Amino acid sequence: MKYLHSLPLSLSVSTLVLSTLSGCGMMRNAHDPARDKLTVSVVNAMTWTNPLSGKRDGIRTAWPLAQLANHEEIFPLAQIKHCDGAQLPCKWGVLSASRSITRYEYIAGAVTLDLGLLVDVHRRQQDRRRNFHTSMAIPADVAALTYRKTAQEGVVLPYGKVYRVEMEYGLRYEICAQRVDASGRALDKCDIPYI
């Protein structure tokens, strides 16, 4: 008889625990812009000086933040050069670069994320992806650049503020987060120019 009386009690406690746990999973972060029917977009760019024109060159992309957890972006191969007045002729190199984001979280007025950056400049590079293969090389009789930078860091991105990583030979990486309304209009201005 005692067993029969405790059964409904244990079932109701189990039901209460399960409903509480499932409710926690449904609750949004208090700083998630989705609470205000907004999404977050991440704008980033890898830029360099074009070796022929001398003007800024590169690639600028924008991604919905929700798609960026465990996401890697591989930038197209590019040629760069460096001329040191005391050391002629100029040296050339092929740039291979990628950016990865492994985690993100909303905080008050900003997004935090784990940013990985890999930049490699060498005489020759290859980019092998599914259904896509390209390679680029500097001729053997031309002086070649060698440079490598890897960074893995936690970054805080206040909405509309650009975070920059300056590197050697005029290489620059920029990233910025902006809130976007339901019609696709950006509410924060990311000062990363189109190239």
Side-chain angles (χ1 to χ4, degrees):
M1 196 70 163
K2 185 176 179 185
Y3 175 75
L4 291 174
H5 287 292
S6 65
L7 184 61
L9 178 62
S10 65
L11 280 176
S12 62
V13 170
S14 297
T15 305
L16 178 64
V17 168
L18 283 175
S19 63
T20 302
L21 289 176
S22 65
C24 288
M26 305 273 255
M27 292 173 59
R28 290 194 182 274
N29 175 321
H31 304 293
D32 186 342
R35 293 172 73 98
D36 298 320
K37 299 189 176 21
L38 303 174
T39 58
V40 174
S41 177
V42 172
V43 178
N44 69 174
M46 175 64 70
T47 60
W48 56 88
T49 302
N50 185 298
L52 301 176
S53 70
K55 295 179 180 177
R56 205 75 192 146
D57 201 353
I59 185 164
R60 177 191 194 270
T61 61
W63 299 85
L65 180 63
Q67 294 180 9
L68 292 185
N70 297 313
H71 176 270
E72 180 182 37
E73 181 174 8
I74 300 171
F75 299 107
L77 300 179
Q79 289 186 0
I80 63 170
K81 77 173 178 180
H82 176 71
C83 302
D84 185 349
Q87 190 180 36
L88 292 173
C90 297
K91 291 184 176 182
W92 288 69
V94 180
L95 167 66
S96 173
S98 64
R99 180 270 303 140
S100 62
I101 293 175
T102 53
R103 178 205 60 85
Y104 70 86
E105 183 179 355
Y106 300 106
I107 61 172
V111 172
T112 65
L113 48 84
D114 291 339
L115 173 68
L117 196 58
L118 172 60
V119 173
D120 184 51
V121 178
H122 207 61
R123 180 176 295 279
R124 65 180 46 88
Q125 301 282 5
Q126 291 187 355
D127 181 1
R128 292 178 182 264
R129 288 179 261 176
R130 191 174 69 174
N131 300 326
F132 180 79
H133 175 236
T134 186
S135 60
M136 194 178 287
I138 303 300
D141 61 343
V142 174
L145 290 171
T146 301
Y147 174 73
R148 185 172 177 88
K149 179 175 180 69
T150 57
Q152 199 75 12
E153 57 186 301
V155 177
V156 177
L157 297 178
Y159 295 120
K161 303 291 182 193
V162 179
Y163 178 80
R164 290 182 175 86
V165 179
E166 300 283 351
M167 293 166 272
E168 293 198 32
Y169 309 123
L171 302 173
R172 180 187 306 142
Y173 174 75
E174 298 171 292
I175 187 168
C176 176
Q178 59 186 11
R179 290 163 292 190
V180 179
D181 69 15
S183 67
R185 183 175 58 96
L187 304 180
D188 307 288
K189 184 174 189 280
C190 285
D191 191 17
I192 299 177
Y194 289 93
I195 299 155

